[in-house]
Amino acid sequence: MIYLSPYMKNSLLQNELTNLMGDKCSLSESVRYNYSRGEDVYDPVLPDAVLFPETNEEISNILKICNNHKVPIVPFGTGTSLEGSAVGIQNGVSISLERMNKILKVNEEDFDCRVQAFVTREQLNEHLKDKGVFFPIDPGANASLGGMTSTSASGTMAVKYGTMKTVVSGLTVILAS
């Protein structure tokens, strides 16, 4: 038997999410468990559903549905966070960003690039290695840049190059509105 919190027992919510996302919406207990924690010390909190969007528009629609139903959401990157940012404070919906892993544009002359949230630091550096530039933030894990931004990650080269707070020059923020 699959346990669902009062949020997902609402068949209207469940129908809206599955209609929007199709097979990119999982209610499977094993999948939900995989998205219930990071590398932190906190107890896992099982989300009611895990969604796998591929576009900003899908995320916006997910947020609208969850906002209308007053359902909390937790974005999930690589799960390497030590701060507990991948754990919900209550049940709700986990939005896995793993399908948003594209490097959109690199402008090596200006030392900047546009990436999606799940691009990892190793992926970006592999892409940059022949361009004479590199991404300096190294928190010690192959973290996603979205997750690193959310925690202002740093690392061994922070004294010379700064933290995420100093290297991020812009964000695309998706809101329920």
Side-chain angles (χ1 to χ4, degrees):
M1 180 174 154
I2 295 177
Y3 167 77
L4 296 175
S5 78
Y7 295 118
M8 288 305 283
K9 286 182 181 174
N10 175 343
S11 61
L12 181 60
L13 170 63
Q14 188 173 339
N15 288 340
E16 286 182 50
L17 290 174
T18 53
N19 286 340
L20 173 67
M21 299 302 292
D23 63 353
K24 296 185 283 185
C25 174
S26 180
L27 302 176
S28 159
E29 190 168 349
S30 62
V31 171
R32 292 170 32 229
Y33 185 78
N34 289 336
Y35 292 87
S36 67
R37 65 171 307 163
E39 295 295 323
D40 50 64
V41 299
Y42 304 105
D43 292 333
V45 175
L46 201 66
D48 293 318
V50 180
L51 305 171
F52 299 90
E54 297 177 8
T55 66
N56 290 351
E57 292 76 23
E58 284 181 333
I59 292 175
S60 178
N61 289 328
I62 291 166
L63 294 179
K64 287 175 188 170
I65 291 168
C66 290
N67 188 54
N68 287 340
H69 291 278
K70 307 284 188 253
V71 174
I73 58 116
V74 176
F76 195 98
T78 58
T80 59
S81 169
L82 300 175
E83 297 85 4
S85 56
V87 179
I89 57 170
Q90 54 184 319
N91 296 23
V93 171
S94 182
I95 299 176
S96 171
L97 300 171
E98 66 193 63
R99 296 184 183 183
M100 299 193 70
N101 63 349
K102 294 175 187 65
I103 298 169
L104 304 173
K105 181 179 179 185
V106 174
N107 184 359
E108 59 266 15
E109 296 83 24
D110 290 333
F111 299 101
D112 68 11
C113 61
R114 283 186 52 89
V115 300
Q116 290 182 320
F118 195 80
V119 169
T120 65
R121 66 175 190 82
E122 289 179 4
Q123 176 188 358
L124 181 58
N125 276 326
E126 181 65 26
H127 185 83
L128 295 174
K129 73 180 182 183
D130 297 331
K131 300 182 186 322
V133 294
F134 75 105
F135 178 72
I137 310 300
D138 181 359
N142 191 24
S144 65
L145 298 184
M148 291 170 63
T149 301
S150 74
T151 61
S152 192
S154 60
T156 57
M157 297 194 290
V159 171
K160 185 171 183 176
Y161 296 104
T163 66
M164 287 299 286
K165 181 179 178 180
T166 56
V167 301
V168 172
S169 60
L171 297 170
T172 298
V173 179
I174 305 168
L175 303 173
S177 60

